[in-house]
Amino acid sequence: MQEVLFMIYAWLKAGHIIFVIFWMAGLFMLPRYFVYHQEAAPDSPENAVWTDRERKLLKIILNPSLIVVWVLGLVLAYTTGAFTQGWMHAKFLAVLGLSAYHGYLAGYHKKLARGERSLTGKQLRLFNEVPGIAAALIVVLVVIKPF
Ligand code: HEM
């Protein structure tokens, strides 16, 4: 099994990186949508339009990308035995954090749809920095492998 995975390793890694890009693009877009969504009155037609846009972004881009990134990442780690390496442990923590952020955004989307606005526009803009910082950290960990 591991020999077959080694033969297609470069393809698996290419797929991993492609879906990382899709996932990150979605994670950057969704809080941006929220900023505009919050400005619409809870029972307005505009509220329904933004809810639908967010639902589609989650359903078509974000959720499938999260799954593919995790599956291919775990297969890559299994193939090389990276589970025992320090950088992989740190990457795991960072990626778990990013997945929790994804879950929080999915929850906030439901809150907005119900008419709740618990964060300010400024807080949402600040939130938007999370995926950028996490991605920079993860790429350094995986490319430099500092430990
Ligand atoms: C979801 C869980 C994830 C797991 C289990 C995982 C695991 C892995 C593994 C084992 C490799 C091969 C590293 C090597 O041996 O050189 C890899 C490559 C890579 N990963 Fe992930 N990864 C995950 C998510 C992510 C995320 C979220 C990002 C970016 C934000 C990312 C970016 C990369 C990049 C850029 C590479 C290519 C590194 C290189 O070839 O030099 N990964 N990943």
Side-chain angles (χ1 to χ4, degrees):
M1 177 69 172
Q2 220 157 357
E3 285 141 45
V4 178
L5 290 175
F6 259 120
M7 279 162 58
I8 55 163
Y9 185 77
W11 284 103
L12 293 172
K13 191 144 82 172
H16 179 64
I17 294 169
I18 290 165
F19 280 89
V20 161
I21 292 170
F22 294 161
W23 189 29
M24 297 307 301
L27 287 179
F28 280 119
M29 276 173 80
L30 195 53
R32 261 285 114 199
Y33 278 14
F34 291 166
V35 172
Y36 302 123
H37 187 166
Q38 299 226 121
E39 287 163 9
D43 46 6
S44 63
E46 219 190 316
N47 189 61
V49 170
W50 280 111
T51 301
D52 189 51
R53 282 182 187 139
E54 289 157 12
R55 192 184 54 77
K56 285 189 179 133
L57 185 62
L58 275 158
K59 203 174 146 208
I60 300 169
I61 310 271
L62 275 159
N63 294 341
S65 303
L66 168 88
I67 294 166
V68 178
V69 166
W70 266 102
V71 170
L72 291 180
L74 291 173
V75 173
L76 288 174
Y78 167 76
T79 310
T80 59
F83 289 124
T84 56
Q85 292 161 23
W87 65 269
M88 189 68 230
H89 298 158
K91 180 172 173 176
F92 252 134
L93 278 182
V95 173
L96 279 174
L98 208 53
S99 303
Y101 174 75
H102 177 135
Y104 180 83
L105 293 185
Y108 197 74
H109 152 72
K110 286 188 185 149
K111 274 189 178 179
L112 282 180
R114 288 197 299 267
E116 293 169 39
R117 273 96 169 106
S118 50
L119 295 176
T120 64
K122 198 176 170 202
Q123 283 171 322
L124 279 172
R125 283 185 182 87
L126 265 176
F127 240 57
N128 232 346
E129 307 301 328
V130 172
I133 295 167
L137 179 70
I138 292 169
V139 170
V140 168
L141 284 169
V142 84
V143 175
I144 312 286
K145 297 187 175 71
F147 40 81

